[in-house]
Amino acid sequence: MKKILDIIRVDLITMNGGKNGMRTMLIMLFLFCAAIGFFISPVGGLYCPLLMGGFFVPMLFNNELKYHSEKLWSILPVKRRDLVNARFLMAAVLYTALFIVFYLLMLLALKLELYSAFMSDGDETFDILEMIVKVSSLSFTKLGVFNLLYFAAYSFGLMISTGQLRRYFKNSEAFNYAMSIGRMQKAKKREYAYAILIFAAILLWVLIVSGVLPINATVYIVIQFLKQLAQATNGFLLSAVLVTMAVFSAIYKYICTLLEYDEKEL
């Protein structure tokens, strides 16, 4: 355990050393999404955990990739297993910690409702959460919708970041090319696809439960099952299912990385 903590300490020093442009970009993204959440809608802040999932791993190892020092670990007395353990642990814990901080900020934004003063049109206030509650046939509160959306975003973000970490260990040079030389081409399209997918799924859900889109019997059974999960404990049960799926996905990628990196020629 001490060796794993030492590796994490080295990675934190490396991350904060030099000119890490990705770190600055992530901080700006965090502040920008927080501003949207406070002054437009807490739903707008969903972009933070989603995009943070795509940019988090490149930010952690930006300096290592920039100075081509990733192969230094092969000549140090460090087991490959310890390196994988340390980096998956660091990425998961830091990403979760950042999400919790942002989630609490958005809870505060939901409580203060400052956006109602900025998004009001006479006597009417444009509130996306309120609109979802009215349109859907679910016995949800605004807090329930908020929790479901944010934990779903966290789940997708965790799957994205652990997937990137696996690709980094599998081929750091190809990862470096994708994130620097061909900046945000294939990788960026993939992360945007995840973001578009979750918002498309939310829109599809609203259209189905409101009766706008017809559904066949098989899909109806699935939708009813999801509705029961969503309505139980005001959205927390379905949120727990999504987070559990994300955790199992992260464990699967971690095990695959252990096996692949152990057999890789450095």
Side-chain angles (χ1 to χ4, degrees), residues 124-140:
E124 255 184 68
T125 300
F126 180 70
D127 189 338
I128 298 177
L129 288 172
E130 192 70 43
M131 183 183 69
I132 294 174
V133 170
K134 288 180 180 178
V135 171
S136 70
S137 59
L138 300 174
S139 56
F140 262 9

Side-chain angles (χ1 to χ4, degrees), residues 86-101:
R87 291 188 161 177
F88 265 86
L89 179 63
M90 180 179 71
V93 170
L94 286 180
Y95 176 73
T96 302
L98 281 174
F99 168 77
I100 290 173
V101 171

Side-chain angles (χ1 to χ4, degrees), residues 61-75:
F61 307 115
N62 181 258
N63 282 329
E64 183 173 285
L65 290 168
K66 184 188 296 183
Y67 301 114
H68 303 285
S69 58
E70 64 273 9
K71 293 183 179 179
L72 179 64
W73 294 102
S74 63
I75 61 175

Side-chain angles (χ1 to χ4, degrees), residues 125-264:
T125 300
F126 180 70
D127 189 338
I128 298 177
L129 288 172
E130 192 70 43
M131 183 183 69
I132 294 174
V133 170
K134 288 180 180 178
V135 171
S136 70
S137 59
L138 300 174
S139 56
F140 262 9
T141 63
K142 285 173 62 174
L143 180 61
V145 176
F146 172 85
N147 285 325
L148 184 57
L149 292 177
Y150 269 86
F151 281 109
Y154 166 75
S155 302
F156 275 92
L158 183 62
M159 288 190 286
I160 292 170
S161 59
T162 51
Q164 282 197 334
L165 195 53
R166 182 186 176 188
R167 291 197 299 273
Y168 175 77
F169 273 106
K170 194 171 185 179
N171 192 338
S172 59
E173 292 181 1
F175 187 87
N176 191 18
Y177 178 83
M179 301 310 297
S180 58
I181 301 175
R183 194 136 184 113
M184 303 307 167
Q185 291 178 354
K186 292 183 180 178
K188 189 174 182 180
K189 288 178 183 177
R190 189 181 297 111
E191 311 314 335
Y192 278 148
Y194 279 116
I196 293 170
L197 179 64
I198 187 171
F199 281 104
I202 293 168
L203 177 62
L204 184 63
W205 171 269
V206 172
L207 291 175
I208 289 175
V209 298
S210 61
V212 176
L213 288 180
I215 52 176
N216 60 38
T218 306
V219 177
Y220 179 79
I221 294 172
V222 176
I223 293 298
Q224 289 302 313
F225 175 69
L226 291 175
K227 283 175 67 175
Q228 292 299 320
L229 282 178
Q231 289 181 127
T233 64
N234 202 20
F236 273 106
L237 185 56
L238 183 55
S239 299
V241 170
L242 293 173
V243 172
T244 302
M245 290 173 59
V247 170
F248 277 112
S249 172
I251 292 172
Y252 167 76
K253 289 165 187 172
Y254 160 71
I255 294 172
C256 289
T257 304
L258 272 180
L259 298 174
E260 292 164 354
Y261 192 62
D262 200 45
E263 296 178 355
K264 179 182 173 183

Side-chain angles (χ1 to χ4, degrees), residues 30 38 96-112 146-147 150:
F30 190 94
F38 273 99
T96 302
L98 281 174
F99 168 77
I100 290 173
V101 171
F102 190 80
Y103 171 75
L104 293 176
L105 282 174
M106 292 300 98
L107 270 181
L108 181 61
L110 186 66
K111 181 70 175 177
L112 295 177
F146 172 85
N147 285 325
Y150 269 86

